[in-house]
């Protein structure tokens, strides 16, 4: 949690966003006033709006729907139907089984959230261009903004593949989709152009380290995104990320006050006392957790681990402490009961269509603090240094240089209190990525890169590889006749 950057008052210069679900609408009804946005201090205030857009869209926390599309579609998480709870028209079962449809609300909201962020950035870039800042000042401010926009386009490239490029506030022309390779090239070009102008520090800001980290993330997925592997380029980008190290205690990266982490490179700052907070844990834990953790949060007993995830961790792996398994106890040690009178006892067994209230081991990676409400102040981690290390290690393995990768992997695992084999191969890396980044929205992308996403799995038959990207939402297709639906839908 940190107020300084993100929780500055938002001046009502910009009107409500009409997202690129409707690409032929005017993005804003008026141009920002000439009386504001001229000085560096005023520009800093306006730029804060770009970072604030990462907090969510129309009341949706970033992981509300994007999280489900990245986690429940993978082999990590599930939202099972529990009695009358969580059926929701079968949408969670469809996501689990890769049977989603173009008119799913969660797909539409994800598309709208990502494009609304881009729209906000484009409007702020316009305002910066109209300001009285010097050319160098404008370039530096716009570098941060273009970095945030590149992050949004990375998410679109990853999830939807072929998407329209809307990069000019003054250009109101309806855009056709660009190919996934063209979107990749745009992101790469933007990041390479701005990285030298990005700030070297700044909590919650898109810094030089964030720029190189996102570039490395782009390169590690280049073979999927554009058909050309770029393993050495990934290594080179990782080597440019400096000033960060592994946090001694893994779970300290996710504390309520996690702004002191030496590992977190790019985060979404939250402060539940000021504005929308991080409600990740409220979505996962049983209703009785308000007693167990002495909070007033309304836990909704949704997300849990797929069966078998817990068993992928060695018994002494410190990262297991981010999972809640077994009886749920009150502070006095007494057993808490579910509504049918049976004990709340989180088990590895899960039924997708008819789960009990206790089915599934739960995520408690983000700290639960006494007195928490539904929304918390844990800053949401988007990029941390362990990812940079393991991207480099994976790229080295793929280039046949596993010996160089082993000590990098060993350093990450030593922090988790587990040994590392002398030889680390891609199969080992595949499981290690799950253990290190469980519930951090990495797994769907990792599965696709390793060729594992469409294979038969729990509650899922082998599916069409074309479902490695999501469909263009029906609503977007209806409002932009230049869009062509992704293959397979």
């Amino acid at each position: 949690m940190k107020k300084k950057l993100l929780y500055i008052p938002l001046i009502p210069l910009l009107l409500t966003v009409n997202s690129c679900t409707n690409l032929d609408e005017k993005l804003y009804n008026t141009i920002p006033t000439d009386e504001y946005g001229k000085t560096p201090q005023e520009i800093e205030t306006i730029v804060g709006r770009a970072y604030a857009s990462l907090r969510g869209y129309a009341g949706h926390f970033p992981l509300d729907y994007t999280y489900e599309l990245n986690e429940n579609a993978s082999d990590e998480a599930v939202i099972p139907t529990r009695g009358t709870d969580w059926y929701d028209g079968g949408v969670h079962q469809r996501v689990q089984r890769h049977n989603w449809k173009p008119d799913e609300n969660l797909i539409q909201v994800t598309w709208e959230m990502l494009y609304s962020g881009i729209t906000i950035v484009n409007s702020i870039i316009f305002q910066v261009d109209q300001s009285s800042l010097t050319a160098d000042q404008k370039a530096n401010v716009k570098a941060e903004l273009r970095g945030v926009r590149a992050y949004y386009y990375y998410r679109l490239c990853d999830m939807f593949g072929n998407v329209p490029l809307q990069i000019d506030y003054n250009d109101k022309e309806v855009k056709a989709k660009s190919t996934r390779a063209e979107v990749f090239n745009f992101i790469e070009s933007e990041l390479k152009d701005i990285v030298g102008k990005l700030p070297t520090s700044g909590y919650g800001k898109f810094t030089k380290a964030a720029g190189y980290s996102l570039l490395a993330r782009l390169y590690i997925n280049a073979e999927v995104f554009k058909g050309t592997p770029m393993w050495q380029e990934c290594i080179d980008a990782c080597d440019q990320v400096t000033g960060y190290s592994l946090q001694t205690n893994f779970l300290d990266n996710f504390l309520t006050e996690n702004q002191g982490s030496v590992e977190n490179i790019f985060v979404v700052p939250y402060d539940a006392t000021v504005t929308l907070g991080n409600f990740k844990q409220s979505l996962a834990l049983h209703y009785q957790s308000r007693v167990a953790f002495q909070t007033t949060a309304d836990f909704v007993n949704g997300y849990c681990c797929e069966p078998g995830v817990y068993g992928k961790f060695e018994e002494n792996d410190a990262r297991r402490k981010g999972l809640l398994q077994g009886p749920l106890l009150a502070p006095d040690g007494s057993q808490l009961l579910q509504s049918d009178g049976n004990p709340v006892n989180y088990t590895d067994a899960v039924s997708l269509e008819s789960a009990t209230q206790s089915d599934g081991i739960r995520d408690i990676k983000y700290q639960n603090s006494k007195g928490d409400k539904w929304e918390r102040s844990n800053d949401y981690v988007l990029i941390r240094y362990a990812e940079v290390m393991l991207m480099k290690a994976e790229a080295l393995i793929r280039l046949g240089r596993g010996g160089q990768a082993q000590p990098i992997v060993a350093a990450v695992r030593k922090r988790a209190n587990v040994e590392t084999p002398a030889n680390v191969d891609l199969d080992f890396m595949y499981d290690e990525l799950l253990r290190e980044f469980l519930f951090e929205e990495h797994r769907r992308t990792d599965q696709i890169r390793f060729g594992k996403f469409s294979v038969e799995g729990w509650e899922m038959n082998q599916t069409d590889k074309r479902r490695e990207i999501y469909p263009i939402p029906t609503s977007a297709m209806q409002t932009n006749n230049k869009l062509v639906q992704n293959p397979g839908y």
Side-chain angles (χ1 to χ4, degrees):
M1 180 273 289
K2 187 150 184 172
K3 296 181 186 178
K4 182 177 179 181
L5 172 66
L6 212 55
Y7 299 103
I8 49 183
L10 297 180
I11 308 301
L13 301 173
L14 305 175
L15 303 181
T16 302
V17 171
N18 292 311
S19 80
C20 287
T21 296
N22 187 348
L23 293 174
D24 60 353
E25 291 186 34
K26 287 191 68 174
L27 300 183
Y28 290 90
N29 294 327
T30 61
I31 302 300
T33 176
D34 291 337
E35 284 74 39
Y36 196 88
K38 297 297 186 182
T39 69
Q41 293 76 19
E42 291 171 346
I43 290 293
E44 180 72 12
T45 302
I46 296 167
V47 168
R49 184 173 172 84
Y51 291 107
S53 70
L54 293 166
R55 289 202 307 261
Y57 165 78
H60 294 287
F61 180 59
L63 60 77
D64 197 3
Y65 289 143
T66 61
Y67 182 86
E68 179 166 358
L69 291 175
N70 282 293
E71 287 293 341
N72 287 31
S74 79
D75 63 352
E76 287 188 346
V78 55
I79 300 179
T81 302
R82 305 180 191 274
T84 59
D85 292 342
W86 292 105
Y87 178 65
D88 297 334
V91 62
H92 311 300
Q93 294 178 22
R94 290 194 294 275
V95 171
Q96 196 71 39
R97 292 167 171 158
H98 294 190
N99 291 329
W100 50 76
K101 301 177 293 185
D103 63 354
E104 305 282 9
N105 184 55
L106 78 173
I107 291 175
Q108 175 184 331
V109 170
T110 296
W111 175 276
E112 289 178 348
M113 188 186 80
L114 296 172
Y115 268 114
S116 73
I118 290 167
T119 300
I120 288 170
V121 171
N122 288 342
S123 68
I124 299 170
I125 288 174
F126 172 86
Q127 190 164 359
V128 171
D129 281 335
Q130 307 309 305
S131 75
S132 59
L133 297 180
T134 67
D136 286 345
Q137 288 173 325
K138 288 179 182 179
N140 292 336
V141 171
K142 287 164 62 177
E144 280 186 66
L145 294 166
R146 290 164 65 189
V148 174
R149 185 175 63 187
Y151 176 79
Y152 278 121
Y153 269 116
Y154 170 85
R155 299 297 297 269
L156 284 163
C157 182
D158 176 35
M159 298 183 73
F160 295 96
N162 315 291
V163 299
L165 287 171
Q166 291 280 138
I167 57 175
D168 185 348
Y169 175 80
N170 285 314
D171 183 1
K172 304 302 189 279
E173 179 187 356
V174 175
K175 300 297 181 187
K177 292 194 304 183
S178 297
T179 67
R180 200 179 200 184
E182 289 170 340
V183 179
F184 177 102
N185 291 337
F186 168 76
I187 300 167
E188 179 189 25
S189 174
E190 283 287 279
L191 291 172
K192 290 173 72 173
D193 188 55
I194 66 173
V195 73
K197 306 179 187 72
L198 290 169
T200 56
S201 62
Y203 187 76
K205 284 180 171 285
F206 197 87
T207 60
K208 191 182 299 292
Y212 278 117
S213 299
L214 185 58
L215 197 56
R217 189 185 283 186
L218 187 71
Y219 288 145
I220 199 77
N221 293 295
E223 189 169 23
V224 173
F225 290 174
K226 64 179 295 186
T228 304
M230 303 182 73
W231 311 122
Q232 186 57 53
E233 289 86 346
C234 175
I235 294 168
D236 294 342
C238 289
D239 286 342
Q240 294 297 319
V241 180
T242 60
Y244 292 86
S245 59
L246 293 177
Q247 187 74 18
T248 302
N249 184 329
F250 172 74
L251 290 178
D252 283 356
N253 294 309
F254 311 99
L255 294 173
T256 302
E257 297 289 339
N258 57 343
Q259 66 267 25
S261 168
V262 297
E263 182 174 343
N264 292 341
I265 294 173
F266 190 39
V267 303
V268 182
Y270 282 101
D271 185 343
T273 66
V274 177
T275 186
L276 178 71
N278 178 338
F279 53 83
K280 185 176 191 288
Q281 303 300 173
S282 297
L283 294 170
L285 299 178
H286 188 273
Y287 319 108
Q288 288 278 42
S289 296
R290 65 190 308 175
V291 178
F293 295 107
Q294 298 179 275
T295 77
T296 59
D298 291 321
F299 295 94
V300 295
N301 202 34
Y303 295 99
C304 64
C305 291
E306 272 196 17
V309 167
Y310 191 71
K312 291 184 181 295
F313 292 82
E314 296 172 56
E315 188 172 344
N316 61 327
D317 193 323
R319 295 169 295 193
R320 252 193 183 187
K321 295 178 182 178
L323 296 170
L324 194 57
Q325 182 266 347
L328 184 66
L329 304 178
D332 64 4
S334 61
Q335 174 73 66
L336 292 168
L337 304 179
Q338 52 192 38
S339 59
D340 62 4
N342 290 316
V344 180
N345 184 30
Y346 296 133
T347 65
D348 190 47
V350 182
S351 169
L352 178 61
E353 297 185 6
S354 56
T356 71
Q357 289 186 4
S358 292
D359 274 4
I361 292 169
R362 307 307 168 93
D363 165 33
I364 54 166
K365 183 177 278 189
Y366 282 85
Q367 181 185 23
N368 288 281
S369 298
K370 184 177 180 179
D372 277 344
K373 296 180 175 59
W374 167 260
E375 296 172 358
R376 294 94 185 284
S377 296
N378 317 65
D379 297 336
Y380 188 61
V381 181
L382 299 178
I383 303 174
R384 54 188 179 88
Y385 189 63
E387 179 186 356
V388 176
M389 296 175 68
L390 293 184
M391 283 192 293
K392 180 176 180 178
E394 181 188 332
L396 286 167
I397 293 170
R398 291 185 182 276
L399 288 174
R401 295 153 60 185
Q404 294 173 256
Q406 197 277 346
I408 301 173
V409 178
V412 174
R413 286 175 57 80
K414 182 179 180 181
R415 189 259 300 270
N417 195 39
V418 286
E419 299 293 326
T420 305
N423 297 307
V424 291
D425 58 14
L426 288 177
D427 288 338
F428 185 87
M429 281 296 303
Y430 180 68
D431 287 339
E432 184 61 19
L433 291 172
L434 179 147
R435 290 184 285 262
E436 181 65 25
F437 301 111
L438 183 65
F439 299 130
E440 293 186 52
E441 295 190 75
H442 287 234
R443 190 59 173 175
R444 171 189 155 274
T445 310
D446 291 344
Q447 281 197 287
I448 292 169
R449 189 171 68 253
F450 279 80
K452 307 279 191 181
F453 183 71
S454 302
V455 302
E456 184 176 354
W458 181 76
E459 285 289 349
M460 190 193 83
N461 296 322
Q462 182 169 336
T463 56
D464 192 331
K465 276 185 65 65
R466 290 178 295 185
R467 291 201 164 235
E468 291 180 353
I469 56 175
Y470 287 104
I472 305 301
T474 299
S475 56
M477 296 286 294
Q478 291 171 341
T479 53
N480 181 358
N481 60 13
K482 290 186 179 182
L483 295 179
V484 177
Q485 187 55 271
N486 284 332
Y489 294 99

